[in-house]
Amino acid sequence: MVVRMLEGWQDLPIEGVVEYCRDLVEDVDYPTVKRWRENGGKVVGRFQVYFPDEIVAAAGMLPLSVRGGSFEVSEAGAHFGGYLCSIVKTSLELALTRKIVLDMFVSHPICDSARNLAAVYGRNFDYPCEILYLPQNANSAHAITYLRGEYDRLKRDVEDVAGHRISDDDLRAAIVIFNENRRLLREMYAIRRDSPWLLAVDEAYVLMAVGGMVPRQEHNELLRYALDLVGKRNLQPQDRMRLVLEGGFCEQPPLDLLHTIGQFSYVVDDDLLIGSRWITEDVSTEGDPLGNLADAYLEHSSYSAVQHDLRKPKEKMLLDRIKDSGASAAIITAAKMCEPGLDEQVAYIKALDEEGVPYFVSEFEESMTSFDSLQIQLETFIENILFV
């Protein structure tokens, strides 16, 4: 099916492209997904953090990043307690209120809430709802073989929904598209490291986030166009502190929060939507495509609080992120009620203390609307570093 989900951005200036993407990201009616379905397309929703979207795309279906949002929960509250993170409830709310209509849903056992999400979906919807079991022991000699088998199981289930087989050539074609997407995102993050005054953190975020709701071919076109315009921006650097933001791997901070941070600092790296950048090198298109995807997930990948890999100690990875981006300090945040994120804060703080790296600790929630207090605290934090 060849249907364009994105129209009207092709002749806009970069500010217009950013605003166009922001409107899409904040629209809880998911107009691109509705347009896809209206044209006969099928949709596979998947929860955060990482998912092999290539398998869904190879079947000609739309992989949708189900990431909740900033809105009031009315129906999902009856299915989850109030002591859980917001994204679990808002993600379910989107489906219960038919803001999004899926043909399949996949979650991951990244925490107790996410593991149970597939079962809750399954009791309320008649489409397939399942869990993709990524390796718990990434250091096992059998991890790649195991994960390749999980991907094959997922592929068979996707084929059932799509109504046709997925060939190896279909997978290779999808890998080529997603390789380009990850290269473009790496280029965008390189701009933020090298020339952060050209692209604020909230601008980069919406350019990246829109990729989770449209075919990646279209996202690639938009990114190529936008990054060319960013490089031509006539903006001058300001005297701002360079920061790394850590803690946005699953539930996402409100856009206004990112905008607030970007008003008086340069966020030169982060883990926002890290799943879209999880694989750090091109996936090979030679040989077995499922095996190549499994190898890339384990051997050529980033880190997060929800993957345990002794070869990638998260404290060291964070320190490397700070060093490689030339940051002077870090914002260590976590979604409220997020056990993995809050647990990692303790380890991160200990490592930053030992290395003498200044840091600011905070929490966020999707539904936050007031940031005045946080802005004052952050401004004070930065001034204390710059002027004391």
Side-chain angles (χ1 to χ4, degrees):
M1 185 181 66
V2 180
V3 179
R4 292 197 65 83
M5 300 296 103
L6 302 176
E7 292 289 356
W9 56 265
Q10 288 83 351
D11 297 316
L12 294 175
I14 184 58
E15 293 79 11
V17 176
V18 169
E19 188 64 27
Y20 174 85
C21 291
R22 177 167 184 144
D23 288 344
L24 285 176
V25 170
E26 291 189 314
D27 192 336
V28 297
D29 288 323
Y30 284 78
T32 57
V33 179
K34 283 185 170 59
R35 192 173 306 131
W36 180 268
R37 293 194 66 87
E38 288 169 357
N39 285 273
K42 294 183 177 180
V43 182
V44 175
R46 53 83 165 179
F47 195 64
Q48 310 282 36
V49 172
Y50 172 79
F51 182 80
D53 289 325
E54 290 91 336
I55 296 174
V56 173
M61 298 192 291
L62 179 66
L64 172 65
S65 174
V66 181
R67 51 178 177 75
S70 180
F71 52 84
E72 184 177 352
V73 171
S74 59
E75 297 188 25
H79 301 271
F80 286 107
Y83 51 86
L84 299 178
C85 61
S86 174
I87 188 174
V88 172
K89 291 173 282 188
T90 54
S91 297
L92 180 61
E93 182 78 11
L94 289 170
L96 291 173
T97 57
R98 298 187 67 81
K99 298 292 186 182
I100 57 172
V101 178
L102 306 177
D103 296 281
M104 181 178 179
F105 177 75
V106 185
S107 187
H108 317 280
I110 57 175
C111 66
D112 289 343
S113 301
R115 182 175 61 247
N116 293 327
L117 189 58
V120 175
Y121 263 80
R123 288 196 296 269
N124 288 275
F125 304 102
D126 58 6
Y127 48 75
C129 303
E130 65 174 73
I131 297 175
L132 175 64
Y133 291 95
L134 299 170
Q136 294 298 301
N137 182 6
N139 305 121
S140 169
H142 306 287
I144 293 177
T145 301
Y146 162 80
L147 184 56
R148 198 266 179 212
E150 269 295 280
Y151 284 175
D152 189 52
R153 178 182 64 82
L154 173 68
K155 181 174 79 76
R156 293 193 300 272
D157 292 340
V158 168
E159 288 172 337
D160 289 342
V161 174
H164 60 82
R165 297 290 303 276
I166 301 171
S167 70
D168 284 355
D169 285 341
D170 292 332
L171 286 167
R172 293 185 186 105
I175 288 172
V176 169
I177 293 168
F178 280 78
N179 278 345
E180 181 182 8
N181 191 253
R182 287 184 285 263
R183 284 196 298 268
L184 289 166
L185 292 177
R186 290 196 294 270
E187 180 182 341
M188 184 173 73
Y189 269 74
I191 292 173
R192 289 181 53 200
R193 287 192 301 272
D194 300 337
S195 307
W197 54 90
L198 294 179
L199 192 64
V201 58
D202 56 310
E203 294 177 321
Y205 179 85
V206 296
L207 290 173
M208 176 170 56
V210 76
M213 59 184 70
V214 300
R216 285 306 198 284
Q217 300 95 315
E218 290 194 53
H219 192 219
N220 290 346
E221 293 175 15
L222 184 143
L223 284 177
R224 286 194 295 268
Y225 178 81
L227 294 180
D228 180 64
L229 294 180
V230 168
K232 298 175 181 177
R233 265 181 157 175
N234 186 23
L235 299 176
Q236 299 301 314
Q238 300 181 20
D239 186 18
R240 296 182 181 180
M241 176 170 283
R242 297 169 62 95
L243 300 174
V244 160
L245 175 66
E246 189 82 12
F249 58 90
C250 184
E251 183 172 327
Q252 298 299 292
L255 276 173
D256 287 340
L257 173 58
L258 297 180
H259 179 70
T260 297
I261 296 172
Q263 283 184 311
F264 52 89
S265 67
Y266 290 135
V267 179
V268 291
D269 206 350
D270 57 62
D271 65 343
L272 299 169
L273 294 174
I274 191 63
S276 61
R277 300 173 286 120
W278 181 259
I279 295 174
T280 57
E281 301 176 12
D282 282 358
V283 179
S284 174
T285 55
E286 302 294 327
D288 175 22
L290 290 181
N292 293 339
L293 286 169
D295 177 78
Y297 171 81
L298 289 163
E299 302 296 334
H300 308 287
S301 55
S302 187
Y303 70 99
S304 86
V306 296
Q307 188 200 48
H308 303 284
D309 189 335
L310 296 177
R311 301 166 302 174
K312 297 187 294 184
K314 289 180 278 292
E315 303 92 318
K316 180 182 182 302
M317 299 293 282
L318 172 59
L319 292 172
D320 288 345
R321 175 172 281 168
I322 294 170
K323 179 181 177 181
D324 293 344
S325 63
S328 302
I331 298 176
I332 306 300
T333 189
K336 291 183 179 180
M337 304 294 179
C338 174
E339 291 187 14
L342 293 169
D343 284 348
E344 286 304 323
Q345 279 191 341
V346 178
Y348 287 151
I349 289 170
K350 182 175 184 294
L352 293 171
D353 279 335
E354 291 175 351
E355 294 297 321
V357 177
Y359 57 87
F360 179 87
V361 180
S362 69
E363 288 183 337
F364 67 85
E365 193 171 28
E366 294 170 319
S367 59
M368 287 176 65
T369 57
S370 177
F371 309 100
D372 293 342
S373 176
L374 179 64
Q375 180 173 347
I376 293 172
Q377 294 175 43
L378 276 171
E379 287 177 339
T380 302
F381 166 72
I382 291 173
E383 289 173 358
N384 285 339
I385 296 173
L386 292 177
F387 303 118
V388 175

